[in-house]
Structures are given as structure tokens and as C-alpha cells.
Amino acid sequence: MQIFYAPQIEGDEYRLPEDESKHCIRVLRMQLGDELFLTDGRGNLHKARIADDNPKRCLVQIVSTQHEFGKRPFNLHIAIAPTKNIERFEWFLEKATEIGVDTITPLLCDRSERKDIKVDRLQKILISAMKQSVKAYLPTINAIQPFKNFIKSTHQADFKTIAHCNSWDLPPFQQVIQRGGSVLVLIGPEGDFTPAEVNLALNSGFREVSLSTSRLRTETAGVVACHTANLINGV
Amino acid sequence: MQIFYAPQIEGDEYRLPEDESKHCIRVLRMQLGDELFLTDGRGNLHKARIADDNPKRCLVQIVSTQHEFGKRPFNLHIAIAPTKNIERFEWFLEKATEIGVDTITPLLCDRSERKDIKVDRLQKILISAMKQSVKAYLPTINAIQPFKNFIKSTHQADFKTIAHCNSWDLPPFQQVIQRGGSVLVLIGPEGDFTPAEVNLALNSGFREVSLSTSRLRTETAGVVACHTANLINGV
């Protein structure tokens, strides 16, 4: 099932950009009349047929549309410190998109070794993972934010949690969140959140949780939190 | 917490191999009397002190030993087809070790694009992930086996499952397995198991399961299965 990302789609026709036209006609060798799928990344999945197989400006005609395709039954926001090695963070983005996530906010924490990210590049990874896993919702990735600013802004989540390893005997994440409620989970950098950061979160209504009895790397914690939240919600 | 892998450890003293001596003394700048940890990968975690800080043949003296350190409350065996891109399979190995797994068997399936693996290289990834996540059990990785041979051999698991995406409405993995029982899960290559492979497994007492409502890549399916089994077992 070939799926293309078409955020600007409107009406019954769509012209693929030059690079996607080339991919479609030259690489995939699709022809006049062949079927493909388009998504706007906002829940619409369009079935379309090739009306002009020009390899530079392929034109497709929409045949039918599914709205809210694969709509998730709850909202998941993961705020996470990007890893020093950006590949590990990119891996997290790919896996979280496959498993299912709505919003990702990169955090700048006291112990962050990586201070900046290239949102454009990360966005491409999200688009590619969305297409690969046949989803019609593109996760939102925000600009990197200092931890304190993020904590101070208002968050509507039913379950606001901070995952860390600074103490044992924290309640398990899967017992704190409940089916159907929106979830916000904070995950720290290599070296974890500082005690001051954890306290700030606790004072702002976050609950501290444990994601696993194992010591997990940042990007593994992100994937594990994502899967746990989906599992609790029957996804 | 610095941990070294010492599979041949015996008695109260241990001499680190040359590369680890160098790492310990030159890179980490550890000195006479400094403490470190050793594991044999079979559940023993030894606390030790440096008795000779020679950078080529560092000698340590064992101070105390914890047996069955972090022993997992159930057995998990994941039999999985290695991905075409070996890096994806290596990611799976690292993440599964962090999260917790006992045995991994690479499978050669009808649709496998990768026919061989280098077990030595993969073993190194397991050792590194074990040390990183401070575990004392090294997962076993077997040689690659044809799917049919693997299915025909005897498996003692309480829950023998095959995860695939060939049909909808399969029972969720997390509802088929139960706490405390040993789990065996089969995961196919890119392109999934063939219907014939699924039938062969069903005829051999495996139950078919779904790991997620999302379409997951092979290595993501492996990580998700690993985390689900651990979650069900309270790990």
C-alpha cells in the first residue's frame, strides 16, 4: 500500500511535488490508472488514481476519502530530552510514530548534553514513519523548550507524569494512568532529571512514576512509555 | 557504577583482559583501591577492588558477591527474523537486553531477505547493553535457524505464540500470556510470515497473536513484544 504525504491537499485533484512524482513514476513504476493513497497528516486518508503519469508533475484524482482514519482513543504527549547522540533520538521518533503518539516536545534540562535540534530533519523522520506504518495522523513535534518553561505553561492532560530513576519504589506508570485519559509524560536526559527538576514538576501537579524495574536509556524510556500508554488504552 | 563482563571468573581474584585493563586504568583513570563491579552474565554480581592498577593486566580482588542479581520472574524467548538492514536488528538486541529477555533465536523465514548473521558481533552488542543497563544476566543468542526446524524442535514454554499481521482480529498478545508463565514469541521478517508458516506454527501448538493495532516494523514488534511480556510480569 503506497501512501504519500500531501499536507496541502484540497478538492478532488492533487499534483505530487517533483520529488514524489519521480519516486512514484520512475522508482515505483506506477502508471496511468494505478491506485495510491494520500494523507494530509490530519486524519484524512484519500484513495486516488493516477490521471497523468508525468514523472515531474504526476496528477492524481481522488476516488474516496476516509476521515479520522486510525484515530487514536486518547491523547499522548511525550516531553523528552534529546539524546547526545541524535540517532538515538531519531530512533525514538520513528518508533513512537509507529506505535502511536500525538505530540512530542524536546526538553532542555539541567543535565542535557544536547542543547539544540533541527526540527525540519526530525519532521522528515516523522513523515517517513507515518507513511511506513500507514497512519493518517502526523505527530506534532515542537521546538526545544527549557524544562522550567515547559513545566510552568498550562497542560490539560488528565495524567501529568514525570518518569525518573532517582528513587526506587515509585508507582509504576501503567498503574498511574488510566484508559481513555490524556497522558503527558516527561523523560529526562542521560544522567536523568535533577532532584530540583523533579521537585518543580511535583509542585506543578505532576506525579512521579517508574517506567520499568530496569534502568533504561532515554530513548528506550520514551519508546517504553509510548507503548505502555497505548497498551493501557487497548491500542 | 562501572561494570565489567568476566565470564571466566573463579575464586577471589580476577585479572582483567588487556583491552579492559586499558579501559579501566587509562580511560576511566581508576586507581589502586578503587571499586568496580564484575558479572559473569549468569546472575552473579561481584563488587571488587583494584589490587594492581597495571594498565595491561589490572588485578582486582572480590569484596562481596550478590547471586541472582536482578533475576527475572519469568522466562522470555523471542525468535525473530533478522532485518535486511542489520542495524535495525542490532537496535532490537540492545533494547530487548535493556528491557529484559532471556533467549533470542534468529529465524530464517520464507520471506527473509537476510540469510545470515555474525553471532560474535551480535554477542558484543548484548554484552555492552547488559553492562550499560547494569544487569547480571547475559541473554543467550542462538545461531540462525530455518523456521521449520525451529518449529519442529521441542519448546517448553507455557505460552507459545506467533505474532503476525496477516489477519485482523487476532487476540492481543497481552491477553494470551499470563503472569509467571514462560513465553515464546515468534516474529517474522519484513513482509511477515507466509500463511504456510503461520499454519505450521498453529499445527505445532502455537497461538497466533497481535502485538498492536498499529503496523509495526520487525524490530519494533520485537521490542514491543519484549516490553509487553515484562509489563504483564510486573518487571
Side-chain angles (χ1 to χ4, degrees):
Chain A
M1 177 166 169
Q2 205 55 46
I3 186 166
F4 291 85
Y5 177 52
Q8 265 85 47
I9 197 164
E10 260 182 35
D12 291 347
E13 282 188 345
Y14 181 73
R15 202 175 284 282
L16 297 184
E18 187 167 340
D19 56 337
E20 293 204 315
S21 291
K22 193 178 160 189
H23 181 68
C24 183
I25 304 302
R26 290 274 188 252
V27 181
L28 302 172
R29 298 172 183 275
M30 295 184 85
Q31 298 176 330
L32 196 72
D34 281 354
E35 272 184 3
L36 52 79
F37 289 84
L38 301 169
T39 179
D40 58 5
R42 296 185 297 278
N44 295 305
L45 186 71
H46 307 283
K47 191 197 276 192
R49 241 180 236 119
I50 296 179
D52 176 2
D53 57 4
N54 187 307
K56 287 191 174 177
R57 39 193 169 78
C58 173
L59 184 76
V60 302
Q61 206 129 30
I62 291 169
V63 179
S64 63
T65 298
Q66 288 182 70
H67 304 292
E68 302 196 339
F69 176 79
K71 190 172 162 65
R72 303 174 55 259
F74 78 111
N75 188 281
L76 176 59
H77 183 171
I78 303 179
I80 179 169
T83 49
K84 186 179 171 191
N85 174 347
I86 196 69
E87 277 188 23
R88 293 185 172 274
F89 191 65
E90 293 175 356
W91 179 84
F92 156 72
L93 293 177
E94 179 183 302
K95 296 316 170 201
T97 304
E98 275 181 61
I99 295 168
V101 64
D102 299 282
T103 309
I104 293 158
T105 303
L107 294 177
L108 185 60
C109 300
D110 287 347
R111 293 187 184 141
S112 286
E113 292 198 62
R114 170 170 293 278
K115 314 283 186 201
D116 60 344
I117 52 164
K118 293 192 177 110
V119 171
D120 283 2
R121 183 186 152 87
L122 301 181
Q123 180 96 18
K124 281 186 190 152
I125 289 170
L126 297 177
I127 292 170
S128 163
M130 173 185 70
K131 287 157 61 176
Q132 158 77 26
S133 58
V134 192
K135 291 186 185 298
Y137 287 94
L138 181 68
T140 300
I141 181 161
N142 293 317
I144 194 164
Q145 289 183 37
F147 180 82
K148 282 170 196 168
N149 298 11
F150 183 81
I151 290 289
K152 282 176 191 160
S153 50
T154 314
H155 301 290
Q156 303 292 349
D158 297 314
F159 303 104
K160 300 201 294 181
T161 59
I162 178 167
H164 68 89
C165 305
N166 293 339
S167 59
W168 297 101
D169 287 330
L170 294 181
F173 181 54
Q174 66 271 24
Q175 290 175 16
V176 169
I177 62 171
Q178 285 168 34
R179 194 176 178 125
S182 53
V183 175
L184 168 58
V185 55
L186 313 181
I187 293 167
E190 286 104 332
D192 215 340
F193 290 117
T194 59
E197 287 173 327
V198 172
N199 280 333
L200 190 68
L202 295 180
N203 291 336
S204 305
F206 283 77
R207 292 182 63 185
E208 50 190 344
V209 295
S210 159
L211 293 172
S212 167
T213 57
S214 293
R215 183 164 118 171
L216 304 176
R217 283 178 179 269
T218 293
E219 75 279 8
T220 319
V223 171
V224 157
C226 185
H227 178 50
T228 301
N230 278 285
L231 206 61
I232 293 293
N233 281 280
V235 180
Chain B
M1 178 166 169
Q2 206 54 44
I3 186 167
F4 291 85
Y5 177 51
Q8 264 87 47
I9 197 164
E10 260 182 34
D12 291 346
E13 283 188 345
Y14 181 73
R15 201 176 285 280
L16 297 184
E18 187 167 342
D19 55 337
E20 294 205 315
S21 293
K22 191 176 160 191
H23 180 69
C24 182
I25 305 302
R26 290 274 188 251
V27 181
L28 302 172
R29 295 170 184 278
M30 295 185 87
Q31 298 175 331
L32 198 71
D34 282 354
E35 271 185 4
L36 50 79
F37 290 82
L38 301 169
T39 179
D40 58 4
R42 296 184 298 276
N44 295 305
L45 186 71
H46 308 283
K47 190 198 277 193
R49 244 183 233 117
I50 296 179
D52 177 2
D53 56 4
N54 187 308
K56 286 192 175 178
R57 38 192 171 79
C58 173
L59 185 76
V60 302
Q61 207 128 30
I62 291 170
V63 179
S64 63
T65 298
Q66 287 182 70
H67 303 290
E68 302 196 340
F69 175 79
K71 189 172 162 65
R72 303 174 56 256
F74 77 110
N75 188 281
L76 176 59
H77 182 172
I78 302 179
I80 180 169
T83 49
K84 185 179 171 190
N85 174 348
I86 196 69
E87 275 188 25
R88 294 185 171 275
F89 191 65
E90 292 175 359
W91 270 110
F92 156 73
L93 293 177
E94 179 183 302
K95 297 313 169 201
T97 304
E98 275 181 61
I99 296 167
V101 65
D102 299 282
T103 308
I104 293 158
T105 303
L107 293 178
L108 185 60
C109 300
D110 287 347
R111 293 187 185 141
S112 287
E113 293 198 60
R114 170 171 294 278
K115 314 283 187 203
D116 59 344
I117 51 165
K118 293 193 176 106
V119 171
D120 282 3
R121 184 186 152 88
L122 302 181
Q123 180 95 15
K124 281 185 189 150
I125 289 169
L126 297 177
I127 292 169
S128 164
M130 173 186 70
K131 287 157 62 175
Q132 159 76 25
S133 57
V134 192
K135 292 187 185 294
Y137 288 94
L138 181 67
T140 299
I141 181 161
N142 293 318
I144 195 164
Q145 288 183 38
F147 179 82
K148 282 170 197 167
N149 298 11
F150 183 81
I151 290 290
K152 282 177 192 158
S153 49
T154 314
H155 301 290
Q156 303 292 349
D158 296 315
F159 303 105
K160 301 201 294 182
T161 59
I162 178 167
H164 68 90
C165 306
N166 292 341
S167 59
W168 298 100
D169 288 329
L170 294 180
F173 181 54
Q174 67 269 24
Q175 289 175 16
V176 169
I177 62 172
Q178 285 168 34
R179 194 176 178 125
S182 53
V183 175
L184 168 58
V185 55
L186 313 181
I187 293 166
E190 287 104 333
D192 216 340
F193 290 119
T194 58
E197 286 172 328
V198 172
N199 280 334
L200 189 67
L202 295 180
N203 291 336
S204 304
F206 284 77
R207 290 180 63 184
E208 49 190 345
V209 295
S210 159
L211 293 173
S212 167
T213 57
S214 293
R215 184 165 117 170
L216 304 175
R217 283 178 180 270
T218 293
E219 75 279 8
T220 318
V223 171
V224 157
C226 184
H227 178 50
T228 301
N230 279 283
L231 208 60
I232 294 292
N233 282 280
V235 181

